[in-house]
Amino acid sequence: EVQLQASGGGLVQAGGSLRLSCVASGFTFDDYAIGWFRQAPGKEREGVSCITMGDGNRYYVNSVKGRFTISSDNAKNTVYLQMNSLKPEDTGIYYCAAVEAEYGGSYTPEVYDYWGQGTQVTVSS
C-alpha cells in the first residue's frame, strides 16, 4: 500500500522557519519524484517545490526561491521542505505527492499519483 505522511506544520510568525517532512512507503523511492503543494483557503492547489529522487534534481517556484529548500534522505524514504523567512502568503495546507520520475518538476496536481494527507502551515503577520 502506498502511503505518504506529511508532518511538521504549525503556527509561526512572519520571518520564522518550519521544516516539513514527508515519509513515503509502498513504492520504489528512486523511481519517483516528490512534490510539495500548498492550498490556501479559497485558492487552487499550487506547486511549491519538487525533487526527483534518482538524480536529486530540485525545482522551486519563483515565490519560494531563496527561502525554501527541498532535500531528501533516501535511506529513510523521507523528503524535507525547509521553509525560512516565512510570509503570511505562505499560509495554507501543505501536501506532499509522488509522481513517476519522468514527470519530475511538474506542478500540475493531476499528474501526481499519490498524495499525503496535508499539514497546516499558518504564518502570522
Side-chain angles (χ1 to χ4, degrees):
E1 179 187 5
V2 174
Q3 286 190 336
L4 294 168
Q5 184 75 31
S7 63
L11 172 63
V12 64
Q13 289 187 332
S17 299
L18 286 172
R19 189 177 80 157
L20 306 183
S21 299
C22 175
V23 180
S25 61
F27 59 90
T28 304
F29 206 51
D30 286 356
D31 292 342
Y32 280 76
I34 303 294
W36 284 100
F37 292 77
R38 65 188 178 191
Q39 188 164 20
K43 295 188 177 181
E44 293 186 351
R45 192 170 298 189
E46 63 169 349
V48 173
S49 183
C50 180
I51 184 168
T52 49
M53 307 314 304
D55 57 19
N57 284 340
R58 307 176 190 195
Y59 307 86
Y60 302 95
V61 294
N62 287 338
S63 60
V64 307
K65 282 181 180 177
R67 300 189 298 122
F68 290 12
T69 302
I70 193 168
S71 63
S72 69
D73 184 337
N74 288 32
K76 296 182 178 180
N77 280 15
T78 300
V79 171
Y80 304 100
L81 186 67
Q82 178 67 43
M83 306 186 296
N84 298 329
S85 302
L86 282 162
K87 304 176 181 180
E89 51 263 44
D90 295 318
T91 293
I93 300 174
Y94 281 68
Y95 300 89
C96 59
V99 66
E100 292 182 4
E102 63 181 303
Y103 297 105
S106 171
Y107 295 124
T108 303
E110 289 77 15
V111 306
Y112 280 74
D113 301 305
Y114 309 110
W115 289 83
Q117 85 288 2
T119 184
Q120 176 72 46
V121 171
T122 303
V123 184
S124 63
S125 58

